[in-house]
Amino acid sequence: PEQLRTKSGIHIGMSLSEFKSIMGEPSGSKGDLLFYVFCDEKELKPDDPGYSQCLVNGKSVASRCSGITARFINSKLQWIEIGVAADYVC
């Protein structure tokens, strides 16, 4: 597993401190799991699909979020799951 690495150096078996030095502090944690959430927003224009569905107080905004969940046992990375959102939603 250590032969399979991301460009930034993340790999199974790395220490919790090594992982955090690359990823920073997590968005949240529970037990042996760390969660990282990344979101971006865009303001929709009247001709964009979904404009009226996302309209609140005169502004139409949609967002998309992606995330990473990492599990550590004895401070060693056991597995990592990466989810990527393709579409914006209200």
Side-chain angles (χ1 to χ4, degrees):
E2 288 191 24
Q3 295 170 347
L4 180 63
R5 297 174 178 260
T6 67
K7 284 185 179 183
S8 61
I10 294 173
H11 62 90
I12 301 301
M14 70 187 307
S15 72
L16 177 60
S17 62
E18 289 174 319
F19 187 81
K20 284 185 172 182
S21 74
I22 294 169
M23 293 296 300
E25 286 301 314
S27 304
S29 63
K30 183 174 183 181
D32 57 5
L33 298 173
L34 297 183
F35 306 101
Y36 292 83
V37 179
F38 310 95
C39 297
D40 66 322
E41 292 184 340
K42 71 175 182 177
E43 189 168 346
L44 301 177
K45 295 177 174 48
D47 60 341
D48 286 330
Y51 174 84
S52 60
Q53 294 172 320
C54 297
L55 191 60
V56 176
N57 297 327
K59 194 173 186 180
S60 184
V61 177
S63 62
R64 69 177 172 193
C65 297
S66 298
I68 294 173
T69 301
R71 182 172 189 215
F72 289 82
I73 297 176
N74 297 324
S75 295
K76 298 289 183 189
L77 182 62
Q78 297 299 305
W79 56 260
I80 187 168
E81 178 179 67
I82 302 169
V84 179
D87 295 324
Y88 284 87
V89 295
C90 299

